[in-house]
């Protein structure tokens, strides 16, 4: 393959990155990059006609379903929408709020801060569910101790995504695991994924700062100014608290517990007793199916919902996640296409000759932060960078878990700083804080954690 021709293999991911920086939209970027990759495969191979790239793009999307693991991930992505809808509409979230707040066990600002942090840690199966639950449960307590809603927004936002990407027994882990399939890295995808938690420096540092903030009851930067006028920042109750009928906390606790325990159990079962060797895609899907069934029958037997109502609630929940499912589908297809095109192998050769290995992890982290910041999505960032970064590990003799940790951490970092991120909006909504207020007060904390993470990646490169 000639020099110019070799460089052409880099065009699809470059186009994807340029598009997301320009239009701040991931689905279109992935689709255009996939089309470009299929066009180049044909042009560098048997030749290209006017319509063949379109046909091959469609075939590439269909080929995603040839993998049982990929299909399980896509089905799970839909089912989690139904589960979240059941938990909300059953009144389980509202009932859990009343159960925890009315116990009156929170009697100090430190304990008030611990409530959303611990809730976000326990509910690690889905970031938005974690944010919504933590925010709704804690708002009244924060008001009682005259702590600003912006502090609450910071705690729940900076706990949910880092916890989800570190514990990994959830959709985040299953999604990343699907993106890792097919790379020859000398380790199983599950081992690499679990190993990345030690190298996800941004998530670890962010959680450490949250713990410091909660235990010390001290805030800094713009957040300190807001705290001084906290009584003026207490806002009206959010309508999210009242959209569900009177219920019991078990309508939330039992389905979520079923999902979490089911995932762990199926990881042991599919791994023949070894958790690390279990099938992530099977475990997540089976655990979610069990949780959906538990939520469905609990609501049906309560007498407050008919079968037709539950079907509509479930499908409405699925429709809310269709954009996510589209990103998953396109990212899996693009990864497969780039492998065939040879993009990863070419970049690995160029990088190994021109960029010191010590710079790879910091550069991946910074690139992931830029993409995530401009698009507002960490998952889309993973989809673009994992096919580029993981093939570098072997030729440059880098720990695959270090490379993956840098990519994942960069995606979370940019997402935390971005005003167009869905988690930013949900955090502000759940806490009762303004979106721009939340971004302004969280940014100094995120930048501090990001700077420390970059330094740690340089150190890890030496080691």
């Amino acid at each position: 393959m000639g020099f110019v021709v070799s460089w052409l293999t880099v065009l699809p991911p470059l186009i994807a990155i340029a598009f997301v920086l320009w239009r701040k939209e991931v689905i279109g970027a992935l689709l255009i990059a996939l089309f470009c990759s299929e066009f180049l495969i044909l042009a560098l191979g048997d030749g290209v006609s006017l319509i063949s790239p379109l046909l091959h793009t469609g075939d590439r999307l269909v080929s995603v379903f040839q993998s049982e693991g990929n299909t399980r991930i896509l089905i799970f992505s839909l089912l989690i929408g139904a589960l979240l809808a059941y938990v909300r509409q059953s009144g389980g979230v509202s009932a859990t709020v009343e159960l925890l707040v009315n116990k009156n066990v929170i009697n100090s600002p430190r304990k008030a801060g611990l409530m959303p942090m611990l809730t976000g840690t326990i509910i690690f199966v889905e970031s938005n569910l974690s944010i919504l639950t933590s925010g709704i449960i804690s708002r009244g307590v924060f008001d009682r101790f005259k702590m600003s809603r912006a502090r609450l927004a910071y705690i729940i936002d900076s706990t949910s995504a880092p916890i989800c990407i570190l514990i990994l027994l959830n959709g985040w882990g299953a999604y990343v695991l699907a993106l890792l399939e097919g790379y020859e890295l000398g380790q199983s995808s599950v081992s690499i994924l679990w190993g990345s938690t030690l190298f996800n420096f941004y998530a670890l540092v962010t959680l450490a700062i949250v713990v410091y903030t909660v235990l010390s009851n001290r805030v800094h930067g713009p957040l300190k100014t807001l705290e001084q006028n906290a009584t003026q920042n207490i806002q009206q109750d959010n309508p999210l608290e009242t959209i569900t009928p009177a219920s019991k906390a078990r309508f939330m606790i039992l389905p979520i517990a079923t999902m979490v325990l089911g995932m762990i159990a199926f990881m042991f079962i599919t791994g023949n007793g070894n958790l690390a060797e279990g099938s992530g895609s099977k475990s997540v899907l089976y655990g979610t199916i069990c949780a959906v069934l538990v939520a469905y029958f609990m609501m049906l037997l309560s007498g407050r919902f008919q079968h037709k109502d539950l079907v509509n609630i479930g499908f409405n929940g699925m429709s809310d996640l269709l954009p996510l499912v589209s990103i998953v589908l396109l990212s899996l297809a693009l990864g497969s296409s780039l492998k065939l095109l040879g993009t990863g192998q070419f970049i690995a050769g160029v990088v190994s000759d021109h960029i010191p290995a010590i710079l790879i992890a910091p550069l991946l982290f910074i690139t992931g932060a830029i993409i995530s910041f401009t698009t507002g999505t960490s998952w889309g960032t993973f989809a673009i960078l994992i096919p580029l970064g993981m093939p570098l590990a072997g030729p440059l003799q880098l720990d695959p878990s270090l490379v993956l940790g840098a990519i994942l951490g960069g995606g979370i970092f940019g997402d935390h700083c971005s005003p167009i991120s869905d988690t930013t909006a949900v955090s502000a909504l759940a806490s009762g804080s303004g979106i721009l207020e939340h971004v302004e007060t969280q940014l100094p904390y995120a930048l501090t954690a990001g700077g420390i993470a970059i330094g740690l990646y340089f150190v890890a490169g030496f080691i």
Side-chain angles (χ1 to χ4, degrees), residues 52 85 106 110 134 138 148 157 167 175 219 244 277 289 364 368 396-397 399 405 432 445:
S52 56
I106 307 298
R110 287 185 177 84
S134 302
S138 305
S148 70
D157 197 359
I167 294 183
Y175 173 60
V219 292
T244 52
E277 297 298 325
I289 290 175
L364 286 173
L396 297 179
Q397 297 182 336
D399 189 329
Y445 291 90

Tab-separated table of all heavy atoms in Angstrom, residues 52 85 106 110 134 138 148 157 167 175 219 244 277 289 364 368 396-397 399 405 432 445:
chain	number	residue	atom	x	y	z
A	52	SER	N	-22.550	1.526	-5.249
A	52	SER	CA	-21.991	0.448	-4.429
A	52	SER	C	-21.621	0.867	-3.010
A	52	SER	O	-21.816	0.074	-2.070
A	52	SER	CB	-20.781	-0.176	-5.131
A	52	SER	OG	-19.801	0.801	-5.422
A	85	ALA	N	-38.475	3.401	32.473
A	85	ALA	CA	-39.844	3.925	32.404
A	85	ALA	C	-40.725	3.280	33.466
A	85	ALA	O	-41.538	3.951	34.118
A	85	ALA	CB	-40.420	3.689	31.012
A	106	ILE	N	-30.549	12.244	58.664
A	106	ILE	CA	-29.557	13.216	58.215
A	106	ILE	C	-29.637	14.428	59.132
A	106	ILE	O	-30.626	15.156	59.148
A	106	ILE	CB	-29.823	13.654	56.754
A	106	ILE	CG1	-29.941	12.426	55.855
A	106	ILE	CG2	-28.733	14.575	56.275
A	106	ILE	CD1	-28.695	11.576	55.800
A	110	ARG	N	-22.531	17.348	56.470
A	110	ARG	CA	-21.718	16.247	55.961
A	110	ARG	C	-22.593	15.051	55.589
A	110	ARG	O	-22.419	14.432	54.535
A	110	ARG	CB	-20.673	15.839	56.991
A	110	ARG	CG	-19.526	16.812	57.142
A	110	ARG	CD	-18.465	16.273	58.093
A	110	ARG	NE	-17.328	17.198	58.185
A	110	ARG	CZ	-17.280	18.244	58.989
A	110	ARG	NH1	-18.309	18.489	59.793
A	110	ARG	NH2	-16.221	19.034	59.011
A	134	SER	N	-30.634	10.397	42.971
A	134	SER	CA	-29.813	11.107	43.952
A	134	SER	C	-30.288	12.544	44.134
A	134	SER	O	-30.369	13.054	45.254
A	134	SER	CB	-28.344	11.093	43.522
A	134	SER	OG	-27.871	9.780	43.367
A	138	SER	N	-32.253	14.124	47.558
A	138	SER	CA	-31.409	14.977	48.401
A	138	SER	C	-31.790	16.444	48.429
A	138	SER	O	-31.295	17.181	49.284
A	138	SER	CB	-29.949	14.852	47.935
A	138	SER	OG	-29.535	13.505	47.923
A	148	SER	N	-26.385	24.929	48.718
A	148	SER	CA	-26.896	25.337	47.414
A	148	SER	C	-27.233	24.137	46.538
A	148	SER	O	-26.616	23.069	46.639
A	148	SER	CB	-25.877	26.222	46.689
A	148	SER	OG	-24.758	25.465	46.280
A	157	ASP	N	-23.525	14.783	39.625
A	157	ASP	CA	-22.932	14.664	38.291
A	157	ASP	C	-21.548	14.041	38.366
A	157	ASP	O	-21.179	13.200	37.537
A	157	ASP	CB	-22.855	16.047	37.638
A	157	ASP	CG	-22.656	15.971	36.132
A	157	ASP	OD1	-22.556	14.848	35.604
A	157	ASP	OD2	-22.607	17.028	35.476
A	167	ILE	N	-17.342	0.767	38.016
A	167	ILE	CA	-17.916	-0.505	38.462
A	167	ILE	C	-18.190	-1.427	37.281
A	167	ILE	O	-17.964	-2.633	37.349
A	167	ILE	CB	-19.193	-0.248	39.293
A	167	ILE	CG1	-18.814	0.475	40.594
A	167	ILE	CG2	-19.917	-1.557	39.599
A	167	ILE	CD1	-19.965	0.732	41.532
A	175	TYR	N	-21.381	-1.887	26.801
A	175	TYR	CA	-21.148	-1.117	25.579
A	175	TYR	C	-19.661	-1.086	25.226
A	175	TYR	O	-19.267	-1.356	24.086
A	175	TYR	CB	-21.685	0.299	25.761
A	175	TYR	CG	-21.369	1.249	24.639
A	175	TYR	CD1	-21.809	1.001	23.343
A	175	TYR	CD2	-20.641	2.416	24.864
A	175	TYR	CE1	-21.534	1.884	22.312
A	175	TYR	CE2	-20.360	3.301	23.845
A	175	TYR	CZ	-20.809	3.029	22.568
A	175	TYR	OH	-20.535	3.900	21.551
A	219	VAL	N	-16.266	24.193	49.908
A	219	VAL	CA	-16.392	24.354	48.454
A	219	VAL	C	-15.483	25.492	48.021
A	219	VAL	O	-15.065	26.332	48.829
A	219	VAL	CB	-17.850	24.651	48.046
A	219	VAL	CG1	-18.730	23.439	48.279
A	219	VAL	CG2	-18.396	25.857	48.815
A	244	THR	N	-45.520	10.779	39.387
A	244	THR	CA	-45.878	9.386	39.574
A	244	THR	C	-46.885	9.253	40.714
A	244	THR	O	-46.906	10.042	41.648
A	244	THR	CB	-44.631	8.546	39.905
A	244	THR	OG1	-43.951	9.163	40.993
A	244	THR	CG2	-43.715	8.478	38.710
A	277	GLU	N	-14.140	-13.879	33.726
A	277	GLU	CA	-14.246	-14.559	32.434
A	277	GLU	C	-15.681	-14.661	31.937
A	277	GLU	O	-15.948	-15.256	30.896
A	277	GLU	CB	-13.654	-15.972	32.543
A	277	GLU	CG	-12.166	-15.988	32.867
A	277	GLU	CD	-11.336	-15.311	31.799
A	277	GLU	OE1	-11.694	-15.422	30.610
A	277	GLU	OE2	-10.329	-14.658	32.159
A	289	ILE	N	-33.467	-8.351	31.475
A	289	ILE	CA	-34.735	-9.034	31.199
A	289	ILE	C	-35.420	-9.416	32.513
A	289	ILE	O	-36.631	-9.205	32.686
A	289	ILE	CB	-34.494	-10.284	30.337
A	289	ILE	CG1	-34.093	-9.885	28.910
A	289	ILE	CG2	-35.750	-11.163	30.295
A	289	ILE	CD1	-33.715	-11.051	28.028
A	364	LEU	N	-4.554	10.650	23.920
A	364	LEU	CA	-5.867	10.031	23.801
A	364	LEU	C	-6.846	10.651	24.797
A	364	LEU	O	-8.016	10.884	24.477
A	364	LEU	CB	-5.771	8.517	24.028
A	364	LEU	CG	-5.158	7.696	22.897
A	364	LEU	CD1	-4.972	6.242	23.340
A	364	LEU	CD2	-6.031	7.756	21.645
A	368	GLY	N	-10.091	12.689	23.583
A	368	GLY	CA	-11.410	12.262	24.051
A	368	GLY	C	-12.160	13.380	24.744
A	368	GLY	O	-13.374	13.536	24.569
A	396	LEU	N	3.205	-0.631	20.211
A	396	LEU	CA	3.946	0.289	21.077
A	396	LEU	C	4.226	-0.310	22.455
A	396	LEU	O	4.794	0.360	23.316
A	396	LEU	CB	3.158	1.591	21.244
A	396	LEU	CG	2.926	2.386	19.958
A	396	LEU	CD1	2.121	3.636	20.244
A	396	LEU	CD2	4.254	2.754	19.315
A	397	GLN	N	3.835	-1.581	22.645
A	397	GLN	CA	4.047	-2.289	23.906
A	397	GLN	C	3.469	-1.510	25.094
A	397	GLN	O	4.097	-1.361	26.142
A	397	GLN	CB	5.545	-2.562	24.122
A	397	GLN	CG	6.141	-3.475	23.051
A	397	GLN	CD	7.603	-3.793	23.296
A	397	GLN	OE1	8.295	-3.044	23.963
A	397	GLN	NE2	8.068	-4.911	22.746
A	399	ASP	N	0.253	-1.062	27.840
A	399	ASP	CA	-0.780	-1.840	28.514
A	399	ASP	C	-2.127	-1.474	27.893
A	399	ASP	O	-2.513	-0.304	27.913
A	399	ASP	CB	-0.790	-1.513	30.006
A	399	ASP	CG	-1.682	-2.446	30.811
A	399	ASP	OD1	-2.694	-2.915	30.256
A	399	ASP	OD2	-1.376	-2.690	31.985
A	405	GLY	N	-8.219	3.076	29.547
A	405	GLY	CA	-8.517	3.971	30.655
A	405	GLY	C	-8.402	5.436	30.258
A	405	GLY	O	-9.211	6.278	30.685
A	432	GLY	N	-32.455	20.920	40.727
A	432	GLY	CA	-33.138	22.195	40.802
A	432	GLY	C	-32.213	23.371	40.572
A	432	GLY	O	-32.529	24.501	40.909
A	445	TYR	N	-13.687	22.226	39.274
A	445	TYR	CA	-13.415	20.895	39.817
A	445	TYR	C	-13.008	19.919	38.706
A	445	TYR	O	-12.063	19.143	38.866
A	445	TYR	CB	-14.655	20.371	40.551
A	445	TYR	CG	-14.979	21.099	41.828
A	445	TYR	CD1	-15.823	22.209	41.840
A	445	TYR	CD2	-14.449	20.676	43.041
A	445	TYR	CE1	-16.122	22.877	43.016
A	445	TYR	CE2	-14.744	21.334	44.224
A	445	TYR	CZ	-15.581	22.435	44.201
A	445	TYR	OH	-15.862	23.098	45.375
